[in-house]
């Protein structure tokens, strides 16, 4: 690890100011960033912790019924506090990593990082959530732009994520055996106006919506509706843990299981 | 009745108190005043010629004490190999140099090029980044079969090819073997890979070295399973130091699994550089370094053929194996694919004709050496997989086929150079069938089917050769060391006992089990006995712990030394009791005169030994005895394992539903510790079968270089085990009748898991012959849909 300055502001405004310096970087739970620093793969001059900012903490229900989660809320807190308001999302948070990771890692860090095998991107895109930053609101459909790439500008802070709550939802995660991130994860959310299916872990382009499945399920919300659908393996990730064909296959199986869980 | 102390008691592991409460003293806990830190600059290229190393910029960086490169080690010895193999033509193996720091070439990712010594670790890392290294990249030699071809890129320029040795064992006459196969009623052939593993003990390797200018003494603290072996190799072959000036200490060691047997370059470096820098030095491997510098395990590619007659008797077995040694010869690497593997190919069966062929290959990978089981898992896997395949092809019950071919008469001379002293393979299989409730399997399968899952049962046997072994025999086979062990029993004046043992405990529970033996022999409380291990300045000598040898070999030395103690104590007691020595009996810590009520307590005798006012003149004062023990033969633990799995037909995911082990370890000192050893071994075997895979790409880059990609088994990957060791045929040639239990689980379990998965698939209508380990969901799914 190289040396860096450390700041722990208590307001978003102070955090924005602190991030203004050259090579400053936001620090959430550090579950991705700290290992990167330890391996000397990044050298920020300053880390600005999000953990002391009260307005970025916690789970609350907005007037329109959506669930807003502060950008620095840990996975463990989401698992506990959203269990009543948005159980499928709480269940997703409860399946991330291990207790140590869940007690440190944050939704803002996970979404900003957009790891192609991370769970939250599927939950956010599958729910059609809105990413709220210090400067603007970004629809999930516009936010995720490929592996480790998002619509965030430099130094932009995710202050909260707002989730419309579906009638039913389910996250089906098939574990990569070593990391236990998602080898394939499917987040399915059923709203009055339609079904959204978001897939993580599988594609070389990061989290994506499986639109054929959405169309088919909008016509008929039954597993049979998926029978003839196949994901093209071409753009899937193929590695030690699973071939492209296998991942394409798993997308179908996990989607089917999500439908069963929501039926 | 289970005993509550002594031999046979499940005494609680006394060492666990310090391990579980954070009070252990591991090498990394040791800090020496004024120490500097070592960081190794390692190659990120698998194969290349070093054209230039420029350390000038790095040398001036803050905190840098000194920077070393290969040049500083010209004229210093390299890392030795402890076992010379003679090839099939009588020629010695090709033995390339293994320098402490790369000389001219790098040969695997992780090969150390330079070492920086600095006041802090971060300064050492900073300086390492400022070292400029120019490497002309060469093609990486990765595939063993391609590496063996004429014209393949040479890894070691001075060798004639990349083949370390081409070796064989058993039947020499190819025509005779061909005839057996030509006359067979049935031949089953199987190609399989024994996947490469990274041992990954919880504690990474660490070395702390000190040199005293005043006394010219060196001390090396290191994470080792055998400190005396490290001292001998380092002093005699690498650094040329007098052994009496070097102390090697292996304090608490957080798991070894074989990979901490070997003498590593980092240990020799720190010892050498501590003098060169006149500073104590510390090096602690990161986990990433462990992945690219700890010797790895397994990595055999084999073809195995089994010949059977019309009555399904095994008539011949032939194997052809390519064994990966990696880029250099690690300390015992050459012995693993040969004497620890070929000799086991008879297994539990009376196959009359066996031929084992092994080509050991250099590749641009991390060196491969012994890992829990070392050669024996590779042998067992081939044999038990091919038998299972034969049973399926012949449509016979796999257990019946095994039973029919079991060795039943002992001692038994195998066609592959071993003599099994005892065993009862049918008896052990009976125990397994009962313990695993094999009769109830059909009902369990039906239940799984009702839940949409395929259920399979895999059964196999194993034999292993432990307690390695008579020094005169291993010497004939090429070992450059003896394989005896030693113990000193020091009785203190007040009757408590310190036993200095050559075995090293790094998780095995010696600190509990060894005292049980001594306490039982004397009849005193276990808490009065303690062992001392892991320090060359405290123990007489020790070959260390590996190959499930500690109790069988070092424990025997301890028994012999304790017998000498008892003999002497009886002389003293006889004097005190004014009786004849022949009439003295020792029971429950009391010496008594047979047929009388006269007695004297253990503590009074020991006190007399040290306060010899009233003492027999012909006896020396004091009470301390040493014994060395060289076994007469290997020991032969054997067992039968059953695994039940469920396979999810949609995803190929395998879950272990039940695992039962029936082992014959001979006599047992601490049943709870034995259970734990079996549990741990099975965990590693299941890890190999389902999860662990050390994989390189074609350029020699390690793909599974961290826990993000190298899947270690976790608790929830494993079932509750059933372990039965009531089948006991005591070893005939050591005083305790023990055989060794440390590796059995890792040897016996991989084929059980694979056999179970294949049984599940075949029962589910998928005709699949074989899936290579690890049977990841992706591979199982591909096999089902292939
Ligand atoms: C052992 C282990 C297992 C894991 N398993 C899983 C898993 O199963 N599923 C899964 O999804 N994830 C998993 N993770 C990742 C974990 O969820 C991390 O918490 C997450 O990836 C990053 O969140 P963080 O808060 O730790 O962010 P950090 O590591 O602190 O930061 C990550 C990135 O986000 C930026 N950042 C942080 N907060 C903000 C913010 N509020 N606004 C803008 N940018 C920000 C940082 O600058 C950095 O670039 C695992 C991690 C570990 C170590």
């Amino acid at each position: 690890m190289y040396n860096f300055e450390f700041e722990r502001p208590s307001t978003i405004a102070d955090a924005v100011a602190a991030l203004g310096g050259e090579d400053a970087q936001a620090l959430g739970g550090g579950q991705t960033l700290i290992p990167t620093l330890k391996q000397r793969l990044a050298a920020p001059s300053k880390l600005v912790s999000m953990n002391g900012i009260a307005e970025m903490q916690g789970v609350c229900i907005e007037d329109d019924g959506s669930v807003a989660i502060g950008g620095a809320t840990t996975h463990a807190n989401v698992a506990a506090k959203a269990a009543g308001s948005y159980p499928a999302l709480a269940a997703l948070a409860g399946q991330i990593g291990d207790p140590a990771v869940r007690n440190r890692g944050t939704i803002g860090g996970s979404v900003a990082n957009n790891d192609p095998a991370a769970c939250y991107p599927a939950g956010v895109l599958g729910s059609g959530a809105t990413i709220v930053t210090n400067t603007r609101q970004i629809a999930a459909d516009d936010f995720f732009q490929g592996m480790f790439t998002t619509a965030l500008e430099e130094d932009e802070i995710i202050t909260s994520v707002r989730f419309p709550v579906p009638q039913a939802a389910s996250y089906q995660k098939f574990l990569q055996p070593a990391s236990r991130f998602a080898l394939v994860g499917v987040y399915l959310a059923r709203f009055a106006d339609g079904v959204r299916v978001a897939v993580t872990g599988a594609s070389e382009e990061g989290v994506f919506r499986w639109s054929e499945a959405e169309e088919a399920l909008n016509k008929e919300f039954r597993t049979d509706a998926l029978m003839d659908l196949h994901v093209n393996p071409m753009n899937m990730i193929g590695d030690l843990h699973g071939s492209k064909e296998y991942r394409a296959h798993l997308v179908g199986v996990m989607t089917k299981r999500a439908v069963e869980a929501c039926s | 009745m289970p005993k509550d102390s002594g031999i046979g008691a499940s005494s609680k592991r006394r060492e666990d108190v310090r391990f579980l409460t954070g009070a252990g003293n591991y090498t990394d806990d040791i800090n020496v005043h004024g120490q500097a830190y070592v960081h190794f600059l390692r190659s990120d290229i698998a194969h290349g010629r070093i054209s230039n190393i420029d350390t000038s910029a790095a040398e001036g960086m803050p905190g840098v004490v000194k920077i070393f490169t290969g040049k500083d080690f010209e004229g210093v010895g390299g890392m030795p190999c402890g076992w010379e193999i003679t090839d099939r033509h009588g020629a010695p193996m090709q033995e390339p140099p293994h320098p402490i720091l790369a000389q001219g070439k790098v040969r695997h990712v992780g090969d150390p090029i330079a070492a920086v010594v600095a006041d802090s670790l971060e300064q050492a890392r900073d300086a390492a980044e400022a070292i400029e290294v120019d490497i002309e990249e060469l093609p990486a030699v990765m595939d063993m079969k391609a590496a063996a071809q004429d014209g393949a890129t040479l890894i070691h320029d001075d060798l004639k090819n990349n083949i370390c040795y081409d070796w064989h064992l058993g039947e020499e006459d190819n025509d005779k073997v061909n005839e057996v196969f030509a006359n067979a009623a049935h031949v089953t052939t199987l190609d399989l890979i024994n996947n490469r593993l990274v041992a990954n003990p919880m504690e990474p390797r660490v070395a702390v070295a000190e040199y005293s200018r005043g006394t010219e003494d060196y001390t090396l603290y290191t994470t080792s399973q055998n400190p005396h072996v490290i001292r001998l190799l380092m002093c005699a072959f690498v650094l040329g130091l007098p052994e009496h000036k070097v102390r090697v200490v292996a304090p608490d060691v957080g798991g070894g699994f074989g990979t901490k047997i070997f003498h590593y370059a980092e240990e020799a470096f720190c010892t050498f550089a501590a003098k060169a820098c006149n500073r104590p030095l510390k090096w602690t491997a990161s986990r990433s370094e462990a992945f690219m510098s700890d010797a790895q395990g397994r990595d055999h590619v084999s073809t195995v053929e089994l010949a059977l007659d019309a009555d399904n008797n095994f008539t011949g077995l032939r194997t052809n194996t390519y064994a990966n040694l990696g880029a250099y010869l690690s300390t015992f690497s050459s012995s693993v694919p040969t004497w620890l593997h070929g000799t086991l190919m008879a297994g539990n069966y009376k196959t009359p004709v066996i031929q084992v062929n092994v080509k050991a290959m250099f590749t641009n990978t991390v060196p491969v050496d012994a890992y829990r089981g070392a050669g024996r898992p590779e042998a067992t896997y081939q044999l038990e997989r091919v038998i299972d395949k034969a049973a399926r092809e012949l449509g016979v019950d796999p257990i019946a086929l095994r039973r029919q071919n079991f060795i039943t008469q002992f001692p038994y001379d195998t066609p592959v150079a071993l003599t099994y002293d005892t065993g009862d393979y049918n008896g052990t299989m009976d125990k397994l069938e009962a313990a695993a409730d094999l009769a109830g399997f059909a009902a369990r399968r039906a239940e799984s089917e009702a839940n949409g899952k395929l259920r399979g049962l895999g059964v196999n046997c194993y034999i292993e050769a432990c307690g390695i072994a008579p020094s005169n025999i291993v010497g004939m086979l090429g070992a450059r060391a003896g394989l005896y062990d030693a113990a000193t029993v020091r009785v203190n004046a007040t009757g408590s006992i310190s036993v200095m043992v050559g075995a090293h405990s790094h998780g095995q529970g010696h600190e509990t089990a060894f005292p049980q033996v001594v306490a039982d022999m004397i009849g005193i409380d276990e808490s009065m006995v303690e062992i001392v291990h892991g320090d060359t300045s405290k123990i007489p000598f020790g070959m260390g712990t590996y190959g499930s040898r500690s109790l069988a070999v070092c424990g025997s030395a301890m028994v012999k030394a304790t017998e000498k103690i008892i003999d002497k104590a009886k002389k003293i007691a006889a004097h005190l009791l004014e009786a004849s020595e022949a009439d003295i009996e020792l029971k429950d810590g009391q010496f008594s005169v047979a047929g009388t009520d006269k007695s004297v307590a253990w503590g009074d005798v020991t006190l007399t030994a040290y306060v010899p006012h009233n003492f027999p003149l012909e006896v020396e004062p004091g009470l301390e005895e040493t014994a060395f023990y060289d076994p007469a033969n290997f020991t032969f633990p054997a067992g039968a394992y059953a695994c039940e799995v469920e396979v999810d037909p949609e995803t190929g995911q395998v879950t272990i539903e039940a695992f039962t082990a029936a082992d014959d370890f001979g006599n047992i000192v601490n049943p709870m510790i034995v259970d734990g050893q079996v549990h741990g071994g099975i965990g590693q075997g299941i890890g190999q079968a389902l999860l662990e895979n050390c994989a390189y790409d074609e350029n020699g880059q390690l793909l599974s270089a961290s826990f993000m990609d190298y899947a270690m088994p976790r608790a929830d990957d494993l079932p509750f085990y059933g372990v039965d060791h009531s089948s006991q045929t005591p070893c005939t040639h050591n005083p305790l009748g023990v055989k060794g239990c440390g590796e059995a689980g890792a040897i016996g379990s991989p084929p059980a898991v694979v056999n179970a998965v294949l049984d599940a698939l075949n029962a589910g209508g998928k005709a699949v012959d074989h899936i290579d380990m690890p049977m990841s969901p992706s591979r199982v799914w591909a096999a089902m849909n292939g």
Side-chain angles (χ1 to χ4, degrees), chain A residues 1-3 37-40 98 115 174-181 183 239-243 245-247 249-250 253-254 256-257 260, chain B residues 121-123 125-126 129 288 648-653 691 693 695 703-704 706-712 714 716-717 776-778 781-782:
Chain A
M1 202 181 278
Y2 301 103
N3 287 340
L37 298 186
K38 279 188 175 170
Q39 291 180 299
R40 299 187 155 215
D98 49 48
D115 187 303
F174 193 86
L175 300 182
Q176 194 262 51
S179 70
R180 296 202 173 180
F181 275 66
L183 188 71
D239 62 13
L240 262 189
H241 308 289
S243 62
E245 292 71 23
Y246 183 60
R247 279 190 171 81
H249 167 75
L250 278 186
V253 176
M254 294 298 117
K256 189 186 89 178
R257 291 182 183 180
E260 280 163 2
Chain B
L121 181 58
E122 291 302 313
Q123 286 170 333
R125 292 181 72 178
D126 287 345
E129 285 178 6
S288 307
D648 180 338
E650 281 186 329
T651 63
Q653 176 89 50
L691 297 160
N693 188 19
L703 296 172
S704 47
S706 79
F707 290 135
M708 294 302 272
D709 287 300
Y710 189 88
M712 293 296 281
R714 289 151 157 105
D716 64 357
D717 292 314
S776 64
S778 178
W781 177 80

Side-chain angles (χ1 to χ4, degrees), chain B residues 501-517:
Chain B
V501 294
H504 185 279
S505 190
H506 35 278
Q508 292 85 349
H510 297 173
E511 292 175 30
T512 302
F514 280 39
Q516 286 180 252
V517 173

Side-chain angles (χ1 to χ4, degrees), chain A residues 25-26 28-33 75 97 105-106 112 118-119 158 173 180-181:
Chain A
Q25 196 172 353
Q31 297 304 293
T32 298
L33 187 50
H75 309 329
T106 65
C119 301
I158 298 177
K173 179 180 182 183
R180 296 202 173 180
F181 275 66

Side-chain angles (χ1 to χ4, degrees), chain A residues 25-35 50 56 71-72 75 95-98 101 104-110 112-113 117-120 152 156-159 173 179-182, chain B residues 708:
Chain A
Q25 196 172 353
L27 177 71
Q31 297 304 293
T32 298
L33 187 50
I34 299 293
M50 302 289 113
M56 282 174 64
H75 309 329
Q95 289 175 56
I96 294 174
D98 49 48
V101 170
R104 295 294 310 172
T106 65
I107 186 169
S110 177
N113 193 49
C119 301
Y120 263 128
L152 288 177
E156 195 171 355
I157 300 174
I158 298 177
T159 55
K173 179 180 182 183
S179 70
R180 296 202 173 180
F181 275 66
Chain B
M708 294 302 272

Side-chain angles (χ1 to χ4, degrees), chain B residues 43-47 109 137 140 142 364 695-705:
Chain B
S43 179
D44 53 10
I45 288 171
H47 193 195
V109 169
E137 209 169 331
M142 300 305 296
N364 290 118
Y696 291 87
D697 72 8
E698 68 279 9
N699 300 317
Q701 295 296 326
L702 188 53
L703 296 172
S704 47

Side-chain angles (χ1 to χ4, degrees), chain B residues 398-422:
Chain B
I399 297 178
L401 181 61
R402 286 178 169 86
R403 282 186 183 271
Q404 172 184 349
N405 286 283
F406 275 160
I407 296 160
T408 52
Q409 303 288 321
F410 295 89
Y412 177 82
D413 291 326
T414 73
V416 276
L418 295 179
T419 302
Y420 300 166
D421 59 344
T422 56

